[in-house]
Amino acid sequence: MMAALVGGVIIVGLAVYAGKLLARLKQQTQRQQQAVTQRNERILDSIRTIAMAMREDQCNLSEGAIRLTNLLNALQFAQPKEFADEYPGLYDLYERVREMPTHDARKQYKRNEIMRMDLQRAGFEQELEAQIKIEVTRLASLELPGR
């Protein structure tokens, strides 16, 4: 009889402890999800700003494509999204110009090589401009799923 009582007290104690652990886990999961949501919102604000700047020709298409593809890829979702399928023009331009040197790296090249790369980049931008303009118009009002 005494053993059954002691056993019951131990079981109740373990159940209470397990309940506390589950509550902590739930809180931690909620905090993590809230942090991901806040991060996604900050990224989304940047995406909208860059997309509007590209739409209004305040940001060149190559620079915008590099920035937008990296930001889109940084968004976190429960199910991965293939933004390359949704924004093929941006991702195409990104793939074409991503290896081209920028900023200080350009200084390592001769002037005629820089001009050749700039002409090539401008050609890529001109070829993809119409498609990218459509895509950045959509991106300027992009919303997260579930909102």
Side-chain angles (χ1 to χ4, degrees), residues 47-77:
I47 288 170
R48 289 184 199 119
T49 301
I50 294 167
M52 285 188 281
M54 289 174 70
R55 188 179 62 198
E56 296 168 9
D57 297 322
Q58 296 173 352
C59 174
N60 78 46
L61 297 181
S62 294
E63 180 180 353
I66 291 168
R67 291 176 187 272
L68 286 175
T69 54
N70 284 304
L71 288 168
L72 287 166
N73 293 339
L75 288 170
Q76 294 178 315
F77 300 103

PDB file of all heavy atoms in Angstrom, residues 47-77:
ATOM      1  N   ILE A  47      13.163  44.070 -49.829  1.00  0.00           N
ATOM      2  CA  ILE A  47      12.798  43.601 -51.177  1.00  0.00           C
ATOM      3  C   ILE A  47      11.881  44.612 -51.856  1.00  0.00           C
ATOM      4  O   ILE A  47      12.096  44.988 -53.008  1.00  0.00           O
ATOM      5  CB  ILE A  47      12.137  42.208 -51.097  1.00  0.00           C
ATOM      6  CG1 ILE A  47      13.186  41.141 -50.751  1.00  0.00           C
ATOM      7  CG2 ILE A  47      11.419  41.864 -52.409  1.00  0.00           C
ATOM      8  CD1 ILE A  47      12.612  39.781 -50.416  1.00  0.00           C
ATOM      9  N   ARG A  48      10.867  45.073 -51.134  1.00  0.00           N
ATOM     10  CA  ARG A  48       9.927  46.039 -51.713  1.00  0.00           C
ATOM     11  C   ARG A  48      10.629  47.338 -52.093  1.00  0.00           C
ATOM     12  O   ARG A  48      10.373  47.908 -53.163  1.00  0.00           O
ATOM     13  CB  ARG A  48       8.803  46.330 -50.726  1.00  0.00           C
ATOM     14  CG  ARG A  48       7.837  45.193 -50.537  1.00  0.00           C
ATOM     15  CD  ARG A  48       6.697  45.621 -49.615  1.00  0.00           C
ATOM     16  NE  ARG A  48       6.011  44.488 -49.050  1.00  0.00           N
ATOM     17  CZ  ARG A  48       5.924  44.227 -47.757  1.00  0.00           C
ATOM     18  NH1 ARG A  48       6.468  45.035 -46.861  1.00  0.00           N
ATOM     19  NH2 ARG A  48       5.289  43.169 -47.331  1.00  0.00           N
ATOM     20  N   THR A  49      11.502  47.820 -51.225  1.00  0.00           N
ATOM     21  CA  THR A  49      12.214  49.077 -51.478  1.00  0.00           C
ATOM     22  C   THR A  49      13.092  48.967 -52.723  1.00  0.00           C
ATOM     23  O   THR A  49      13.075  49.855 -53.592  1.00  0.00           O
ATOM     24  CB  THR A  49      13.077  49.461 -50.259  1.00  0.00           C
ATOM     25  OG1 THR A  49      12.217  49.603 -49.129  1.00  0.00           O
ATOM     26  CG2 THR A  49      13.839  50.751 -50.495  1.00  0.00           C
ATOM     27  N   ILE A  50      13.859  47.898 -52.825  1.00  0.00           N
ATOM     28  CA  ILE A  50      14.741  47.713 -53.987  1.00  0.00           C
ATOM     29  C   ILE A  50      13.918  47.528 -55.256  1.00  0.00           C
ATOM     30  O   ILE A  50      14.249  48.092 -56.308  1.00  0.00           O
ATOM     31  CB  ILE A  50      15.697  46.523 -53.755  1.00  0.00           C
ATOM     32  CG1 ILE A  50      16.665  46.845 -52.611  1.00  0.00           C
ATOM     33  CG2 ILE A  50      16.465  46.185 -55.031  1.00  0.00           C
ATOM     34  CD1 ILE A  50      17.432  45.650 -52.093  1.00  0.00           C
ATOM     35  N   ALA A  51      12.836  46.764 -55.171  1.00  0.00           N
ATOM     36  CA  ALA A  51      11.983  46.544 -56.341  1.00  0.00           C
ATOM     37  C   ALA A  51      11.398  47.862 -56.845  1.00  0.00           C
ATOM     38  O   ALA A  51      11.375  48.117 -58.057  1.00  0.00           O
ATOM     39  CB  ALA A  51      10.876  45.548 -56.004  1.00  0.00           C
ATOM     40  N   MET A  52      10.944  48.717 -55.925  1.00  0.00           N
ATOM     41  CA  MET A  52      10.404  50.020 -56.335  1.00  0.00           C
ATOM     42  C   MET A  52      11.494  50.880 -56.965  1.00  0.00           C
ATOM     43  O   MET A  52      11.255  51.560 -57.959  1.00  0.00           O
ATOM     44  CB  MET A  52       9.766  50.742 -55.144  1.00  0.00           C
ATOM     45  CG  MET A  52       8.423  50.157 -54.769  1.00  0.00           C
ATOM     46  SD  MET A  52       7.539  51.126 -53.510  1.00  0.00           S
ATOM     47  CE  MET A  52       8.376  50.602 -52.027  1.00  0.00           C
ATOM     48  N   ALA A  53      12.695  50.840 -56.394  1.00  0.00           N
ATOM     49  CA  ALA A  53      13.804  51.615 -56.953  1.00  0.00           C
ATOM     50  C   ALA A  53      14.146  51.123 -58.360  1.00  0.00           C
ATOM     51  O   ALA A  53      14.417  51.935 -59.253  1.00  0.00           O
ATOM     52  CB  ALA A  53      15.022  51.521 -56.045  1.00  0.00           C
ATOM     53  N   MET A  54      14.125  49.837 -58.568  1.00  0.00           N
ATOM     54  CA  MET A  54      14.400  49.290 -59.910  1.00  0.00           C
ATOM     55  C   MET A  54      13.295  49.670 -60.882  1.00  0.00           C
ATOM     56  O   MET A  54      13.573  50.022 -62.033  1.00  0.00           O
ATOM     57  CB  MET A  54      14.540  47.770 -59.840  1.00  0.00           C
ATOM     58  CG  MET A  54      15.796  47.294 -59.156  1.00  0.00           C
ATOM     59  SD  MET A  54      15.829  45.499 -58.936  1.00  0.00           S
ATOM     60  CE  MET A  54      16.039  44.948 -60.635  1.00  0.00           C
ATOM     61  N   ARG A  55      12.064  49.600 -60.419  1.00  0.00           N
ATOM     62  CA  ARG A  55      10.920  49.932 -61.273  1.00  0.00           C
ATOM     63  C   ARG A  55      10.996  51.382 -61.739  1.00  0.00           C
ATOM     64  O   ARG A  55      10.618  51.716 -62.855  1.00  0.00           O
ATOM     65  CB  ARG A  55       9.621  49.658 -60.516  1.00  0.00           C
ATOM     66  CG  ARG A  55       8.382  49.780 -61.362  1.00  0.00           C
ATOM     67  CD  ARG A  55       7.136  49.479 -60.581  1.00  0.00           C
ATOM     68  NE  ARG A  55       7.001  50.449 -59.493  1.00  0.00           N
ATOM     69  CZ  ARG A  55       6.238  50.279 -58.433  1.00  0.00           C
ATOM     70  NH1 ARG A  55       5.528  49.184 -58.290  1.00  0.00           N
ATOM     71  NH2 ARG A  55       6.156  51.200 -57.500  1.00  0.00           N
ATOM     72  N   GLU A  56      11.495  52.256 -60.857  1.00  0.00           N
ATOM     73  CA  GLU A  56      11.580  53.682 -61.169  1.00  0.00           C
ATOM     74  C   GLU A  56      12.961  54.089 -61.681  1.00  0.00           C
ATOM     75  O   GLU A  56      13.292  55.275 -61.702  1.00  0.00           O
ATOM     76  CB  GLU A  56      11.203  54.476 -59.920  1.00  0.00           C
ATOM     77  CG  GLU A  56       9.759  54.229 -59.508  1.00  0.00           C
ATOM     78  CD  GLU A  56       9.425  54.772 -58.129  1.00  0.00           C
ATOM     79  OE1 GLU A  56      10.270  55.497 -57.546  1.00  0.00           O
ATOM     80  OE2 GLU A  56       8.338  54.457 -57.629  1.00  0.00           O
ATOM     81  N   ASP A  57      13.771  53.111 -62.081  1.00  0.00           N
ATOM     82  CA  ASP A  57      15.109  53.331 -62.646  1.00  0.00           C
ATOM     83  C   ASP A  57      16.045  54.084 -61.712  1.00  0.00           C
ATOM     84  O   ASP A  57      16.923  54.825 -62.151  1.00  0.00           O
ATOM     85  CB  ASP A  57      15.013  54.052 -63.993  1.00  0.00           C
ATOM     86  CG  ASP A  57      14.284  53.227 -65.036  1.00  0.00           C
ATOM     87  OD1 ASP A  57      14.475  51.994 -65.054  1.00  0.00           O
ATOM     88  OD2 ASP A  57      13.516  53.813 -65.825  1.00  0.00           O
ATOM     89  N   GLN A  58      15.887  53.915 -60.412  1.00  0.00           N
ATOM     90  CA  GLN A  58      16.788  54.520 -59.433  1.00  0.00           C
ATOM     91  C   GLN A  58      17.908  53.555 -59.040  1.00  0.00           C
ATOM     92  O   GLN A  58      18.825  53.929 -58.330  1.00  0.00           O
ATOM     93  CB  GLN A  58      16.018  54.938 -58.187  1.00  0.00           C
ATOM     94  CG  GLN A  58      14.992  56.011 -58.449  1.00  0.00           C
ATOM     95  CD  GLN A  58      14.131  56.276 -57.231  1.00  0.00           C
ATOM     96  OE1 GLN A  58      14.196  55.572 -56.228  1.00  0.00           O
ATOM     97  NE2 GLN A  58      13.307  57.315 -57.317  1.00  0.00           N
ATOM     98  N   CYS A  59      17.800  52.325 -59.487  1.00  0.00           N
ATOM     99  CA  CYS A  59      18.778  51.279 -59.181  1.00  0.00           C
ATOM    100  C   CYS A  59      18.962  50.485 -60.468  1.00  0.00           C
ATOM    101  O   CYS A  59      17.974  50.089 -61.088  1.00  0.00           O
ATOM    102  CB  CYS A  59      18.246  50.380 -58.058  1.00  0.00           C
ATOM    103  SG  CYS A  59      19.247  48.941 -57.680  1.00  0.00           S
ATOM    104  N   ASN A  60      20.225  50.255 -60.885  1.00  0.00           N
ATOM    105  CA  ASN A  60      20.386  49.524 -62.140  1.00  0.00           C
ATOM    106  C   ASN A  60      19.973  48.066 -61.962  1.00  0.00           C
ATOM    107  O   ASN A  60      19.972  47.518 -60.861  1.00  0.00           O
ATOM    108  CB  ASN A  60      21.781  49.705 -62.740  1.00  0.00           C
ATOM    109  CG  ASN A  60      22.847  48.871 -62.084  1.00  0.00           C
ATOM    110  OD1 ASN A  60      22.680  47.679 -61.839  1.00  0.00           O
ATOM    111  ND2 ASN A  60      23.979  49.494 -61.809  1.00  0.00           N
ATOM    112  N   LEU A  61      19.600  47.460 -63.059  1.00  0.00           N
ATOM    113  CA  LEU A  61      19.007  46.129 -63.015  1.00  0.00           C
ATOM    114  C   LEU A  61      19.956  45.069 -62.476  1.00  0.00           C
ATOM    115  O   LEU A  61      19.536  44.180 -61.728  1.00  0.00           O
ATOM    116  CB  LEU A  61      18.502  45.733 -64.401  1.00  0.00           C
ATOM    117  CG  LEU A  61      17.377  46.595 -64.981  1.00  0.00           C
ATOM    118  CD1 LEU A  61      16.950  46.080 -66.351  1.00  0.00           C
ATOM    119  CD2 LEU A  61      16.188  46.653 -64.041  1.00  0.00           C
ATOM    120  N   SER A  62      21.232  45.151 -62.821  1.00  0.00           N
ATOM    121  CA  SER A  62      22.186  44.144 -62.346  1.00  0.00           C
ATOM    122  C   SER A  62      22.353  44.208 -60.839  1.00  0.00           C
ATOM    123  O   SER A  62      22.302  43.186 -60.150  1.00  0.00           O
ATOM    124  CB  SER A  62      23.545  44.325 -63.021  1.00  0.00           C
ATOM    125  OG  SER A  62      23.454  44.066 -64.389  1.00  0.00           O
ATOM    126  N   GLU A  63      22.569  45.400 -60.316  1.00  0.00           N
ATOM    127  CA  GLU A  63      22.729  45.551 -58.870  1.00  0.00           C
ATOM    128  C   GLU A  63      21.463  45.099 -58.152  1.00  0.00           C
ATOM    129  O   GLU A  63      21.513  44.388 -57.147  1.00  0.00           O
ATOM    130  CB  GLU A  63      23.036  47.004 -58.510  1.00  0.00           C
ATOM    131  CG  GLU A  63      23.215  47.207 -57.028  1.00  0.00           C
ATOM    132  CD  GLU A  63      23.516  48.642 -56.634  1.00  0.00           C
ATOM    133  OE1 GLU A  63      23.729  49.488 -57.525  1.00  0.00           O
ATOM    134  OE2 GLU A  63      23.518  48.899 -55.426  1.00  0.00           O
ATOM    135  N   GLY A  64      20.312  45.492 -58.672  1.00  0.00           N
ATOM    136  CA  GLY A  64      19.048  45.093 -58.070  1.00  0.00           C
ATOM    137  C   GLY A  64      18.836  43.588 -58.115  1.00  0.00           C
ATOM    138  O   GLY A  64      18.374  42.993 -57.140  1.00  0.00           O
ATOM    139  N   ALA A  65      19.198  42.966 -59.233  1.00  0.00           N
ATOM    140  CA  ALA A  65      19.035  41.512 -59.358  1.00  0.00           C
ATOM    141  C   ALA A  65      19.896  40.782 -58.335  1.00  0.00           C
ATOM    142  O   ALA A  65      19.451  39.819 -57.710  1.00  0.00           O
ATOM    143  CB  ALA A  65      19.380  41.053 -60.772  1.00  0.00           C
ATOM    144  N   ILE A  66      21.120  41.251 -58.149  1.00  0.00           N
ATOM    145  CA  ILE A  66      22.012  40.629 -57.162  1.00  0.00           C
ATOM    146  C   ILE A  66      21.419  40.773 -55.768  1.00  0.00           C
ATOM    147  O   ILE A  66      21.330  39.806 -55.006  1.00  0.00           O
ATOM    148  CB  ILE A  66      23.418  41.252 -57.242  1.00  0.00           C
ATOM    149  CG1 ILE A  66      24.097  40.846 -58.549  1.00  0.00           C
ATOM    150  CG2 ILE A  66      24.268  40.837 -56.031  1.00  0.00           C
ATOM    151  CD1 ILE A  66      25.368  41.618 -58.868  1.00  0.00           C
ATOM    152  N   ARG A  67      20.990  41.973 -55.433  1.00  0.00           N
ATOM    153  CA  ARG A  67      20.439  42.210 -54.097  1.00  0.00           C
ATOM    154  C   ARG A  67      19.133  41.438 -53.872  1.00  0.00           C
ATOM    155  O   ARG A  67      18.940  40.804 -52.832  1.00  0.00           O
ATOM    156  CB  ARG A  67      20.207  43.705 -53.876  1.00  0.00           C
ATOM    157  CG  ARG A  67      21.488  44.495 -53.785  1.00  0.00           C
ATOM    158  CD  ARG A  67      21.197  45.991 -53.662  1.00  0.00           C
ATOM    159  NE  ARG A  67      22.392  46.788 -53.726  1.00  0.00           N
ATOM    160  CZ  ARG A  67      23.139  47.103 -52.673  1.00  0.00           C
ATOM    161  NH1 ARG A  67      22.794  46.679 -51.486  1.00  0.00           N
ATOM    162  NH2 ARG A  67      24.225  47.836 -52.819  1.00  0.00           N
ATOM    163  N   LEU A  68      18.229  41.494 -54.850  1.00  0.00           N
ATOM    164  CA  LEU A  68      16.928  40.849 -54.680  1.00  0.00           C
ATOM    165  C   LEU A  68      17.036  39.327 -54.600  1.00  0.00           C
ATOM    166  O   LEU A  68      16.363  38.710 -53.770  1.00  0.00           O
ATOM    167  CB  LEU A  68      15.972  41.247 -55.810  1.00  0.00           C
ATOM    168  CG  LEU A  68      15.419  42.662 -55.733  1.00  0.00           C
ATOM    169  CD1 LEU A  68      14.591  42.991 -56.968  1.00  0.00           C
ATOM    170  CD2 LEU A  68      14.591  42.860 -54.468  1.00  0.00           C
ATOM    171  N   THR A  69      17.848  38.731 -55.445  1.00  0.00           N
ATOM    172  CA  THR A  69      17.953  37.269 -55.394  1.00  0.00           C
ATOM    173  C   THR A  69      18.521  36.815 -54.058  1.00  0.00           C
ATOM    174  O   THR A  69      18.044  35.825 -53.482  1.00  0.00           O
ATOM    175  CB  THR A  69      18.796  36.705 -56.545  1.00  0.00           C
ATOM    176  OG1 THR A  69      20.073  37.346 -56.563  1.00  0.00           O
ATOM    177  CG2 THR A  69      18.103  36.896 -57.885  1.00  0.00           C
ATOM    178  N   ASN A  70      19.495  37.534 -53.535  1.00  0.00           N
ATOM    179  CA  ASN A  70      20.047  37.164 -52.227  1.00  0.00           C
ATOM    180  C   ASN A  70      19.023  37.349 -51.109  1.00  0.00           C
ATOM    181  O   ASN A  70      18.930  36.520 -50.200  1.00  0.00           O
ATOM    182  CB  ASN A  70      21.327  37.956 -51.939  1.00  0.00           C
ATOM    183  CG  ASN A  70      22.497  37.417 -52.729  1.00  0.00           C
ATOM    184  OD1 ASN A  70      22.825  36.235 -52.646  1.00  0.00           O
ATOM    185  ND2 ASN A  70      23.128  38.270 -53.511  1.00  0.00           N
ATOM    186  N   LEU A  71      18.245  38.415 -51.172  1.00  0.00           N
ATOM    187  CA  LEU A  71      17.210  38.634 -50.159  1.00  0.00           C
ATOM    188  C   LEU A  71      16.094  37.596 -50.261  1.00  0.00           C
ATOM    189  O   LEU A  71      15.637  37.069 -49.242  1.00  0.00           O
ATOM    190  CB  LEU A  71      16.633  40.050 -50.276  1.00  0.00           C
ATOM    191  CG  LEU A  71      17.551  41.174 -49.816  1.00  0.00           C
ATOM    192  CD1 LEU A  71      16.994  42.535 -50.242  1.00  0.00           C
ATOM    193  CD2 LEU A  71      17.750  41.119 -48.311  1.00  0.00           C
ATOM    194  N   LEU A  72      15.661  37.308 -51.472  1.00  0.00           N
ATOM    195  CA  LEU A  72      14.617  36.294 -51.641  1.00  0.00           C
ATOM    196  C   LEU A  72      15.086  34.943 -51.113  1.00  0.00           C
ATOM    197  O   LEU A  72      14.332  34.228 -50.452  1.00  0.00           O
ATOM    198  CB  LEU A  72      14.214  36.177 -53.117  1.00  0.00           C
ATOM    199  CG  LEU A  72      13.378  37.334 -53.656  1.00  0.00           C
ATOM    200  CD1 LEU A  72      13.320  37.287 -55.184  1.00  0.00           C
ATOM    201  CD2 LEU A  72      11.977  37.304 -53.072  1.00  0.00           C
ATOM    202  N   ASN A  73      16.340  34.612 -51.393  1.00  0.00           N
ATOM    203  CA  ASN A  73      16.879  33.330 -50.921  1.00  0.00           C
ATOM    204  C   ASN A  73      17.038  33.300 -49.405  1.00  0.00           C
ATOM    205  O   ASN A  73      17.104  32.222 -48.813  1.00  0.00           O
ATOM    206  CB  ASN A  73      18.212  33.029 -51.602  1.00  0.00           C
ATOM    207  CG  ASN A  73      18.055  32.762 -53.087  1.00  0.00           C
ATOM    208  OD1 ASN A  73      16.979  32.415 -53.558  1.00  0.00           O
ATOM    209  ND2 ASN A  73      19.126  32.941 -53.833  1.00  0.00           N
ATOM    210  N   ALA A  74      17.089  34.464 -48.761  1.00  0.00           N
ATOM    211  CA  ALA A  74      17.260  34.530 -47.306  1.00  0.00           C
ATOM    212  C   ALA A  74      15.934  34.370 -46.552  1.00  0.00           C
ATOM    213  O   ALA A  74      15.945  34.117 -45.351  1.00  0.00           O
ATOM    214  CB  ALA A  74      17.918  35.848 -46.912  1.00  0.00           C
ATOM    215  N   LEU A  75      14.810  34.526 -47.253  1.00  0.00           N
ATOM    216  CA  LEU A  75      13.515  34.347 -46.591  1.00  0.00           C
ATOM    217  C   LEU A  75      13.372  32.902 -46.119  1.00  0.00           C
ATOM    218  O   LEU A  75      13.793  31.978 -46.808  1.00  0.00           O
ATOM    219  CB  LEU A  75      12.369  34.692 -47.546  1.00  0.00           C
ATOM    220  CG  LEU A  75      12.194  36.172 -47.869  1.00  0.00           C
ATOM    221  CD1 LEU A  75      11.202  36.352 -49.012  1.00  0.00           C
ATOM    222  CD2 LEU A  75      11.752  36.948 -46.653  1.00  0.00           C
ATOM    223  N   GLN A  76      12.765  32.736 -44.941  1.00  0.00           N
ATOM    224  CA  GLN A  76      12.584  31.402 -44.370  1.00  0.00           C
ATOM    225  C   GLN A  76      11.107  31.024 -44.355  1.00  0.00           C
ATOM    226  O   GLN A  76      10.271  31.798 -43.879  1.00  0.00           O
ATOM    227  CB  GLN A  76      13.118  31.345 -42.942  1.00  0.00           C
ATOM    228  CG  GLN A  76      14.616  31.512 -42.854  1.00  0.00           C
ATOM    229  CD  GLN A  76      15.083  31.490 -41.412  1.00  0.00           C
ATOM    230  OE1 GLN A  76      14.493  32.128 -40.548  1.00  0.00           O
ATOM    231  NE2 GLN A  76      16.147  30.751 -41.148  1.00  0.00           N
ATOM    232  N   PHE A  77      10.821  29.843 -44.866  1.00  0.00           N
ATOM    233  CA  PHE A  77       9.460  29.325 -44.901  1.00  0.00           C
ATOM    234  C   PHE A  77       9.452  27.890 -44.411  1.00  0.00           C
ATOM    235  O   PHE A  77      10.472  27.198 -44.496  1.00  0.00           O
ATOM    236  CB  PHE A  77       8.890  29.351 -46.330  1.00  0.00           C
ATOM    237  CG  PHE A  77       8.841  30.718 -46.934  1.00  0.00           C
ATOM    238  CD1 PHE A  77       9.771  31.122 -47.870  1.00  0.00           C
ATOM    239  CD2 PHE A  77       7.856  31.607 -46.563  1.00  0.00           C
ATOM    240  CE1 PHE A  77       9.731  32.385 -48.426  1.00  0.00           C
ATOM    241  CE2 PHE A  77       7.793  32.875 -47.116  1.00  0.00           C
ATOM    242  CZ  PHE A  77       8.736  33.260 -48.042  1.00  0.00           C
TER     243      PHE A  77
END
